[in-house]
Amino acid sequence: MRTAIVGGTVVAGDGSAPRTGAAVVLADATIEGIDARWPDGSRADVIIDATGCLVMPGLINCHTHGVTPGPLFPSAAAALPDAEWQSNLDRHLLAGTTTVLNLCGLATMAEVEAADAAHPVKVKGATSHLPSAIAAARAADGAGLRPEHAAMTAEAMVSAGAVAIGELGGGQTLGGGGQDLQYIPAAIERITATVVTAAQARAIKDAVLGPHLDRDRPDEPALAAALTDAGLAPLLDPNKAADLIRGCVLPSLHSGLAGIREGVLAAATLGVPAVVHSASASAALLRELAADKAGRRATVIAGHSNHTSFTPDEALATARDLADHGWLLECCTFDLLELRHTVTTRDHWDRLLADGDSVTLLATDYGYLGQHDPLISGVSDLVAAGHRSLGAAVAMASGNVAEAVPGLAPGAGRLAAGLAADLVIAEIDTRRMAGSRNGGTASASNAVPGRVRHVFVDGHQVVRNGSITTRSMSAGSS
Ligand SMILES: [Zn+2]
């Protein structure tokens, strides 16, 4: 079947400038070509009018969680119910993402393949089956860890098709956001029957351990203030609170850091990239690893370089140091652009993305209960905020990602003849283009992607007018 998408502005995903009015012609599962002269006498079974829209490669997200039936997060928490990980994949697809890398690295390839088969989104696997990473998961949580997960190795996973090592470390195992969101509030609730927010948990944790988790003794005035603010002052005395925080955070911290070291070494040995959890708790180790031999031999992606456990200055200094040693920098939307449940500042994001072109990869991470701001919102924001041209911003969520993780989307990630017909058609957000700081005048190179209208995966139209047409590729439209 031949499909012609006509009248749109074509963004190739390789960083090049958009082309207005070119047709993208699909022949079954592949892109036949991009034709500037359409429709002069050409034939197609289906013609899609993309006037007022951007035609882009299906987006590729190299930092997701909760997209398989396997253990959740680097802490191997209990797996999500099927309906929930499938609805997470729905959210990715409806926002134009056609390939995701599952960074819940303790899942098996069988679980990754089950997710891949169950949904039009292409789900690829990573591995963190390393002795210390498994120990860290057990110390932080481990409720989702069954014998087959604990017995798996990174070598066997890569042989079975895992395309990366990661996520190495995480907020749950390294005393970060995962602890603030989940484990510390749960421990406090068990003792006091009081529910605290992530921000309140973080304030108590910071008072006890400091932002780098290396305090010997609590900051007593700060701890008293944090307990009062959380409504815990009469219920939890400061000594008990300090013990509780240490009990939550420290057991997994040391093995979590050792797991990062093992994973970077494994990446160098096994020849696949590693994705590391970049945050204040891991920064010193990452800088050490980037400078040593294995770290320079491996391809390493510093995940969420814009992590808010850093100050913006620390995030920038760490990122620059890692990039100087050849590591790749990735920024995550978390939920800092729209939803703002867990990340309520865009300072880190703006600081990193305004620092030349050093950040080359965009991803989402998980956000609060999977409610991250979509990858395409990150692309839109980069253009609207004037950090990147449209061509460069789209590449950060497509072509650059395919290049950084070669097994993730082979034969996809760009719009070019012979590549996979994975693509997204999004309306141009004319309101935001007018407000752009990127040169002021409206042009194709500062058009902002808006609502996603259609999505194709391997030539099947899997989203039509903003709705998923099929959950099963075998029941697809061709
Ligand atoms: Zn992370």
Side-chain angles (χ1 to χ4, degrees), residues 63 167 170 277 304 365:
H63 195 146
E167 181 177 2
H277 176 87
H304 45 60
D365 208 338

Side-chain angles (χ1 to χ4, degrees), residues 309-325:
S309 61
F310 291 118
T311 66
D313 285 343
E314 287 170 342
L316 186 61
T318 303
R320 281 181 172 170
D321 189 37
L322 299 179
D324 281 348
H325 288 98

Side-chain angles (χ1 to χ4, degrees), residues 167-393:
E167 181 177 2
L168 296 172
Q172 302 79 15
T173 56
L174 299 180
Q179 283 283 354
D180 304 342
L181 267 173
Q182 198 180 346
Y183 299 126
I184 293 171
I188 289 173
E189 192 177 354
R190 274 197 299 275
I191 294 183
T192 65
T194 301
V195 177
V196 301
T197 67
Q200 289 166 334
R202 179 171 172 176
I204 298 168
K205 181 189 76 183
D206 282 353
V208 175
L209 294 173
H212 301 283
L213 310 178
D214 54 1
R215 260 183 170 284
D216 294 334
R217 298 173 46 203
D219 175 339
E220 283 168 14
L223 179 55
L227 290 171
T228 302
D229 176 68
L232 296 171
L235 304 168
L236 192 60
D237 80 63
N239 289 330
K240 265 207 179 124
D243 286 345
L244 178 148
I245 293 291
R246 292 190 192 102
C248 282
V249 171
L250 297 182
S252 60
L253 179 65
H254 299 292
S255 42
L257 291 171
I260 295 178
R261 195 180 285 281
E262 290 168 11
V264 170
L265 202 61
T269 311
L270 298 173
V272 293
V275 184
V276 297
H277 176 87
S278 175
S280 62
S282 58
L285 174 63
L286 298 184
R287 292 170 91 149
E288 178 200 322
L289 291 173
D292 85 12
K293 224 166 52 197
R296 281 183 279 130
R297 211 165 71 237
T299 298
V300 185
I301 297 170
H304 45 60
S305 296
N306 58 319
H307 201 269
T308 51
S309 61
F310 291 118
T311 66
D313 285 343
E314 287 170 342
L316 186 61
T318 303
R320 281 181 172 170
D321 189 37
L322 299 179
D324 281 348
H325 288 98
W327 286 19
L328 298 168
L329 304 180
E330 170 235 88
C331 276
C332 280
T333 56
F334 300 111
D335 58 2
L336 69 94
L337 299 170
E338 295 163 15
L339 297 167
R340 296 201 154 197
H341 190 286
T342 53
V343 180
T344 55
T345 169
R346 54 177 294 146
D347 290 352
H348 305 67
W349 169 267
D350 284 326
R351 188 74 66 92
L352 271 283
L353 290 161
D355 188 47
D357 293 331
S358 60
V359 177
T360 58
L361 304 169
L362 218 54
T364 60
D365 208 338
Y366 197 55
Y368 178 69
L369 301 176
Q371 300 294 302
H372 57 266
D373 290 334
L375 190 55
I376 197 167
S377 299
V379 173
S380 302
D381 187 82
L382 289 192
V383 182
H387 292 315
R388 295 290 187 282
S389 68
L390 174 62

